[in-house]
Amino acid sequence: SAAAFAPAATSNTDTTSLQASFESELGVQPPLGFFDPLGLLEDGSQEKFDRLRYVELKHGRIAMLAFLGQITTRAGIHFAGDIDNHGTTFASIRPGWAGLNDVPIEGIQQIICFIGVLELLVMKDVDGTGEFVGDFRNGGDYGWSKWSDETKMSKRKIELNNGRAAMMGILGLMVHEQLGSNMPLVGQL
């Protein structure tokens, strides 16, 4: 029969229904809408989406601090005093990747331990206390309840977008530093 030579029907994930399932999520906005170029959410799992959003928020917060740190130290603003007992001043440490060679090994170890403490004890979402994914208040209010739901959503969108911009910004600074570029306002990297 000729039906034996007809192409078999394939069951592809309907990307339209997948996009519709996440189209109303925070951060889905023009011009891209729902943007998943790697297909990480092809299965439509809300749990996976929440995990990726949690990671995006956390990386965005770290990137905002990193970008601010780059700009601040390149502007010549440093802590006063010494970083160690051997007379190495904070001001003598170069900005960017080069600074890792200037910080004593004990300082690097302290940074790693501090990040570990933050990761294990502070920057985590305690189950049952968060209002949304990435809510690290963990039962504290910090003035959040005084805002309307519309203002809260606006602030969450602003944080998400600023985090996305900061991730691209710090990546751009790191790349240009390795290229030895001379950038406006920042200067020679």
Side-chain angles (χ1 to χ4, degrees):
S1 133
F5 298 101
T10 58
S11 61
N12 292 334
T13 303
D14 185 5
T15 57
T16 308
S17 65
L18 171 64
Q19 288 178 351
S21 66
F22 296 114
E23 201 61 41
S24 63
E25 292 288 343
L26 175 74
V28 175
Q29 56 203 25
L32 296 177
F34 176 70
F35 186 63
D36 183 19
L38 299 178
L40 298 174
L41 294 169
E42 284 182 353
D43 61 355
S45 166
Q46 184 66 43
E47 183 178 325
K48 189 185 284 185
F49 179 87
D50 289 345
R51 173 70 183 143
L52 291 171
R53 175 54 48 87
Y54 175 85
V55 170
E56 179 182 20
L57 281 168
K58 190 179 250 188
H59 285 127
R61 291 168 181 166
I62 293 166
M64 286 187 270
L65 290 171
F67 189 84
L68 183 62
Q70 273 275 9
I71 299 302
T72 304
T73 55
R74 289 188 186 283
I77 301 170
H78 304 279
F79 288 120
D82 297 338
I83 193 170
D84 62 11
N85 292 328
H86 303 293
T88 307
T89 63
F90 284 103
S92 69
I93 297 174
R94 296 171 288 176
W97 288 110
L100 287 175
N101 296 324
D102 298 341
V103 177
I105 188 67
E106 295 84 3
I108 299 291
Q109 291 169 343
Q110 287 177 4
I111 291 169
I112 292 170
C113 287
F114 180 67
I115 291 169
V117 167
L118 286 177
E119 191 69 26
L120 295 174
L121 303 176
V122 179
M123 294 187 73
K124 63 181 186 174
D125 203 353
V126 177
D127 292 333
T129 61
E131 191 177 322
F132 51 87
V133 174
D135 182 2
F136 294 156
R137 291 176 295 141
N138 297 325
D141 184 27
Y142 309 106
W144 184 255
S145 62
K146 70 180 179 182
W147 290 317
S148 68
D149 289 341
E150 184 178 302
T151 302
K152 288 178 185 179
M153 187 60 71
S154 172
K155 290 190 175 294
R156 290 178 58 205
K157 286 178 186 177
I158 290 168
E159 179 190 24
L160 187 61
N161 286 328
N162 286 347
R164 289 170 175 173
M167 285 186 271
M168 294 296 103
I170 194 64
L171 177 64
L173 284 175
M174 292 187 315
V175 167
H176 281 279
E177 181 181 0
Q178 294 303 308
L179 295 174
S181 300
N182 192 2
M183 295 178 58
L185 300 176
V186 179
Q188 181 65 35
L189 294 178

